[in-house]
Amino acid sequence: MPSYTPDANLENISFSTDRALVHVKNMSEKPHAVGFPAHSEVRDYIISELTKLGLETTTQQGYTAGDWGNFSSATNILARIKGSEKGKALLLLSHYDSNPHSSLGASDAASGVATILEGVRAFLKQNSPPKNDIIILISDAEELGLNGADLFVNNHPWVGEIGLVLNFEARGSGGPSYMLLETNRGNARVIDEFIKANPKYPAANSLVYSVYKMLPNDTDLTVFREDMDIEGLNFAFIDDHYDYHTARDNYERLDRNTLAHQGSYLMPLLKHFCNSDLTDLKSPNDSIYFNIPFFRLVSYPFDWIFPMLALAIVGFLTLLFLGLRNSSLEIKEIGRGFVPLFLILAINGIVGYFGWTALKNIYPQYQDILHGFTYNGYAYIAAFVLFSLAVGFWAYHKIGKAKTQNLLIAPLFLWLTLCTLVAIHLKGASFFIIPVFALLASLLILTHQKSPSPYVLLFLTLPAIWIYSPLIKMFPVGLGLKMMITATLLTSLTFFLLLPVFGPFKNKKRLAYLLLVLCFGFLLSAHFSSGFNKENAKPTSLVYILDADKNTAQWATYDHVLSSWTAQYIDVNKTQPNNASYDALSSKYGTGFSYISEAPVKNIAPPKIETTLDTIIGDHRKLEICITPQRNTNRLEIFTNDVDIIEAHINKIELSDYYLKNRKNNKLVTHYISNNDYTELQITIPKESDLELSLYEASNDLLNNPLFTVPPRPEDNIPMPFVLNDAILISKKIRF
Ligand SMILES: [Zn+2]
């Protein structure tokens, strides 16, 4: 990735990170989720910046329910640069809403909006009119249910003209920005064009592409792909995941190098794709691709996977046969080579698998970082990697003297097995064969030369180091520390590929101890930063729940380890909730309350519920119910009894059949409310059925509501993300 240097005075035809940073700062001063006061301020800012560029800007407003019953009113911002030809248009996309309720949204996704604003400004200054139209879409309500993208893709007249989408996103606050491709078919054409565009710092590989294709994912691009079959490229960074969706997603913490990286993608891609043919990016074929130094992005077709594998296997068998014949290989030592291999995989596998669970028991406060990536997470990754290497050296010390070439046979056997499995089940990872060829070359040298040059052998380990070292870090960062086993096993597998260099080492035991000492050093450093402070603040949560039917009230928290702030309310009388009635409340990881405590009943008005229609037509009972907030409200969640819902509309928007058939926890809808808007339900059920609605109306004003005196959080606390927080929740049930 590029390294940032101050560039505010860069000539005006270039992308300047400093100029983009000004936009980030202006957009991330306050939380600006849908329905929040600063939401429209950020929208006005973007519109005025686009207008300053001389672009005619429009908005598109409307309700959508997304795919998961997350309902909101979104207001998209749109602008368009005319192209000179009639081809398909290029869409630049990012979203301007931040995550409710406390995120400042500097990385997610002010960084993306700023990249587009600065990139388009520089592009227009270059004065080279594009062939294709360029559409700019700054979408809304991405954080709630991809509602803005949904609204655009399913309702806007421009959508049919789009050939390719470039989307700028964030899931942390730093690190490299990875290119992730979304397509319903093969990637070959898009990858070809991406390589032709020649971005300077491509960070992408087809392993991630294959994994991503297997997971259910949700970015704005998913809506374009699923609903309109449009190809897209995501550019998203995932390091420093602990900042994601928190109050620390702020201007200061956005990594400047990362923002420069986003710009380094946008400029060449914008230039390339606004002049190339976007009508024909669909391809039935897939390519393997990966990035390595000097070569940027390397790719080859999936068709090569099996020939390359066969070549490697034939090469291996030939070298084995020749080596045994000229006695440079020896059966007994080859057999002994399997012992350290299994030892290393077993020990590192077990430690990687149970390590994180053990650490969570020692440090229970880690459970309150719901992301699963703690502030000291990088120290833990380093510790586990060093441990895995120590085990590697120790195991090869244990087997005593053996010729290196004999020790290479077991790892080659393992790697070829792995490559065969990958070729069948995870094709995108088939570039794993490249370092195996390098290892075969080392075997050739070792079996045919008396005193091979260590430099040549070192050179042959470079592919392994280049390809695997970034992945060793990327997996636990991307998937969370619970997946530490990916780091320990990948380190072990990489270690095997480095054996031509490590094998002849005389001091393996001493090296093992040294690495172990270093490992303890990182564990110790992690221990001393396992607590919380102003810089690394503890996520805490507090909710006041009023049961409007029973007229009782409770304090509730999602904290596992209470902070002194939470403990003011969740006191000695706390209990663990014994019924799961609140567990279905929307939260990213399905988190339930950990403790509740008695609370005084306050006089807060529940929503007004009016039934405007309740009639039977044929076999159906049709109901129309209007729910109007009687106070400042941010969210209304509605659940039903176990009833078969034939049809449902929310504020005239239909919930899809698929959703109604696959509802979880009997959730009907979550309405993220703007301007205290009402929720009008039209529901059709079988005529003999009863309908029971459970309403949970939440406002995020617990800390500034005059009925309460909850003090502000201390400096070393931040609002816990992903859950309902700092909220006043009213629950009410009604039967019809
Ligand atoms: Zn986002």
mmCIF file of all heavy atoms in Angstrom, residues 95 108-109 142-143 169-170 244-245, ligand 1:
data_model
loop_
_atom_site.group_PDB
_atom_site.id
_atom_site.type_symbol
_atom_site.label_atom_id
_atom_site.label_comp_id
_atom_site.label_asym_id
_atom_site.label_seq_id
_atom_site.Cartn_x
_atom_site.Cartn_y
_atom_site.Cartn_z
ATOM 1 N N HIS A 95 -21.485 5.065 0.740
ATOM 2 C CA HIS A 95 -22.691 5.498 1.471
ATOM 3 C C HIS A 95 -22.353 6.573 2.483
ATOM 4 O O HIS A 95 -21.228 6.634 2.978
ATOM 5 C CB HIS A 95 -23.375 4.303 2.142
ATOM 6 C CG HIS A 95 -22.609 3.682 3.270
ATOM 7 N ND1 HIS A 95 -22.731 4.107 4.574
ATOM 8 C CD2 HIS A 95 -21.704 2.670 3.308
ATOM 9 C CE1 HIS A 95 -21.942 3.375 5.356
ATOM 10 N NE2 HIS A 95 -21.301 2.490 4.614
ATOM 11 N N ASP A 108 -16.081 4.542 7.880
ATOM 12 C CA ASP A 108 -17.280 3.870 7.347
ATOM 13 C C ASP A 108 -18.443 4.838 7.271
ATOM 14 O O ASP A 108 -19.169 5.006 8.231
ATOM 15 C CB ASP A 108 -17.615 2.689 8.260
ATOM 16 C CG ASP A 108 -18.809 1.906 7.783
ATOM 17 O OD1 ASP A 108 -19.220 2.084 6.630
ATOM 18 O OD2 ASP A 108 -19.358 1.124 8.585
ATOM 19 N N ALA A 109 -18.676 5.503 6.135
ATOM 20 C CA ALA A 109 -17.886 5.398 4.927
ATOM 21 C C ALA A 109 -17.539 6.792 4.415
ATOM 22 O O ALA A 109 -17.461 7.001 3.228
ATOM 23 C CB ALA A 109 -18.626 4.617 3.876
ATOM 24 N N GLU A 142 -27.294 2.380 4.229
ATOM 25 C CA GLU A 142 -26.563 1.126 4.008
ATOM 26 C C GLU A 142 -26.491 0.352 5.303
ATOM 27 O O GLU A 142 -26.623 -0.863 5.343
ATOM 28 C CB GLU A 142 -25.152 1.435 3.480
ATOM 29 C CG GLU A 142 -24.362 0.224 3.013
ATOM 30 C CD GLU A 142 -23.562 -0.474 4.101
ATOM 31 O OE1 GLU A 142 -23.447 0.062 5.215
ATOM 32 O OE2 GLU A 142 -23.069 -1.582 3.854
ATOM 33 N N GLU A 143 -26.269 1.083 6.388
ATOM 34 C CA GLU A 143 -26.044 0.453 7.696
ATOM 35 C C GLU A 143 -27.305 -0.209 8.248
ATOM 36 O O GLU A 143 -27.230 -1.038 9.140
ATOM 37 C CB GLU A 143 -25.554 1.499 8.706
ATOM 38 C CG GLU A 143 -24.257 2.193 8.314
ATOM 39 C CD GLU A 143 -23.056 1.273 8.434
ATOM 40 O OE1 GLU A 143 -23.231 0.109 8.839
ATOM 41 O OE2 GLU A 143 -21.940 1.715 8.111
ATOM 42 N N GLU A 169 -15.671 1.131 0.663
ATOM 43 C CA GLU A 169 -16.243 0.751 1.951
ATOM 44 C C GLU A 169 -15.164 0.580 3.018
ATOM 45 O O GLU A 169 -13.965 0.597 2.713
ATOM 46 C CB GLU A 169 -16.998 -0.590 1.787
ATOM 47 C CG GLU A 169 -18.498 -0.415 1.738
ATOM 48 C CD GLU A 169 -19.103 0.028 3.056
ATOM 49 O OE1 GLU A 169 -18.372 0.314 4.026
ATOM 50 O OE2 GLU A 169 -20.344 0.093 3.114
ATOM 51 N N ALA A 170 -15.583 0.347 4.246
ATOM 52 C CA ALA A 170 -14.638 0.138 5.348
ATOM 53 C C ALA A 170 -15.267 -0.749 6.407
ATOM 54 O O ALA A 170 -16.465 -0.673 6.654
ATOM 55 C CB ALA A 170 -14.265 1.476 5.972
ATOM 56 N N TYR A 244 -14.477 -0.311 14.363
ATOM 57 C CA TYR A 244 -15.642 -0.404 13.467
ATOM 58 C C TYR A 244 -16.955 -0.132 14.218
ATOM 59 O O TYR A 244 -17.200 -0.703 15.281
ATOM 60 C CB TYR A 244 -15.649 -1.811 12.871
ATOM 61 C CG TYR A 244 -16.750 -2.138 11.893
ATOM 62 C CD1 TYR A 244 -17.039 -1.315 10.822
ATOM 63 C CD2 TYR A 244 -17.471 -3.313 12.032
ATOM 64 C CE1 TYR A 244 -18.028 -1.656 9.918
ATOM 65 C CE2 TYR A 244 -18.458 -3.669 11.127
ATOM 66 C CZ TYR A 244 -18.732 -2.832 10.069
ATOM 67 O OH TYR A 244 -19.707 -3.175 9.174
ATOM 68 N N HIS A 245 -17.755 0.746 13.661
ATOM 69 C CA HIS A 245 -19.075 1.089 14.203
ATOM 70 C C HIS A 245 -19.034 1.679 15.616
ATOM 71 O O HIS A 245 -20.047 1.675 16.314
ATOM 72 C CB HIS A 245 -20.016 -0.129 14.164
ATOM 73 C CG HIS A 245 -20.511 -0.425 12.782
ATOM 74 N ND1 HIS A 245 -21.387 -1.436 12.486
ATOM 75 C CD2 HIS A 245 -20.234 0.175 11.589
ATOM 76 C CE1 HIS A 245 -21.622 -1.450 11.182
ATOM 77 N NE2 HIS A 245 -20.921 -0.487 10.618
HETATM 78 ZN ZN ZN B 1 -20.160 0.898 5.507
#
